Amino acid sequence: AVRGFAKSRLESSIVLSAGLNPRLFAYMASFDSFFPENGELKKKITLKVSDYRSAIIQGKFLAKKGLWVSEFRVESGINCGGHVFLSDGHLLGPILEEFKSNKEEMVATLFDLYNTALRNSGRQTSDTPPALNITVQGGVGTHTEQNFLLEHFNIYSVGWGTPFLLVPEVINIDNATLEAVSKATEKDVFMSRVSPLGIPFNILRNSTAEEERQQRVHDGTP
């Protein structure tokens, strides 16, 4: 996928998640298209991260290879799949506060490593760092919450995690569950521990999947 993107004519961003991947990052550095051309990055890198520590570690790893991260996308622990506190209970506010407090230092640190790597590889360096945006996704339920994230934490943009469940063109969902999700209230959701991986997650009481699970329990084949 990375090779296809690197060799394409796209001027866009590639989004990477699931943590530090040294082999993948080293492979990306083998393509000229991820490096600046006349001071401009045509193929940008977006990293999904859970906290500041993850961002700075991965950002440094890439910067040392001459690769700039144009966006750190902070993903709420309750963003997808109904998982309950995927980030071990660390709240989004304090995580974003750390980004806000340390952004200038982060940019300066990464830019120094980035320019050094470009110089050592014989590439053109820059006098000013490329744009580095902090964005956030998930765990947002109201317009007021979105504005708070944008204004208080100086976030570049906010992605909403939950409403995609109501868009049949986006996910594969049957009409009965779509109707149930659209009308669900807090009492219709509970925390389940049936995951074989031991990951607690939220589940809709009257979803077709939950009804099928209950039927398997009733039949003796859970």
Side-chain angles (χ1 to χ4, degrees), residues 117 148 195 210:
F148 176 70
S195 167
E210 175 61 9

Side-chain angles (χ1 to χ4, degrees), residues 27 37 51 62 71 102 104 121 146 157 161:
Y27 182 59
E37 182 179 328
D51 53 30
L62 286 161
E71 176 189 345
N102 293 292
E104 289 187 11
S121 64
Q146 170 174 296
S157 68

Side-chain angles (χ1 to χ4, degrees), residues 154-207:
N154 299 327
I155 297 300
Y156 181 77
S157 68
V158 177
W160 289 43
T162 302
F164 79 91
L165 286 171
L166 304 178
V167 184
E169 292 85 0
V170 175
I171 65 169
N172 184 17
I173 187 170
D174 60 272
N175 290 331
T177 301
L178 180 63
E179 183 75 10
V181 169
S182 66
K183 294 181 177 179
T185 62
E186 187 173 353
K187 64 179 174 50
D188 297 314
V189 177
F190 69 98
M191 188 175 74
S192 172
R193 295 189 179 276
V194 301
S195 167
L197 300 177
I199 301 172
F201 62 92
N202 291 315
I203 192 166
L204 189 65
R205 293 185 188 279
N206 56 344
S207 68

Side-chain angles (χ1 to χ4, degrees), residues 13-21 24-25 28 44-51 54-63 67-75 99 106 110 133-137:
S13 299
I14 187 167
V15 183
L16 305 176
S17 63
L20 182 66
N21 191 329
L24 181 67
F25 292 173
M28 293 175 72
K44 298 178 181 179
I45 298 171
T46 294
L47 281 187
K48 278 189 181 183
V49 295
S50 58
D51 53 30
S54 173
I56 193 67
I57 289 174
Q58 294 185 75
K60 284 181 177 179
F61 194 97
L62 286 161
L67 299 176
W68 184 256
V69 178
S70 297
E71 176 189 345
F72 286 107
R73 186 173 298 176
V74 185
E75 187 168 25
F99 275 95
M106 168 193 264
L110 296 181
N133 295 319
I134 307 298
T135 64
V136 62
Q137 69 175 65

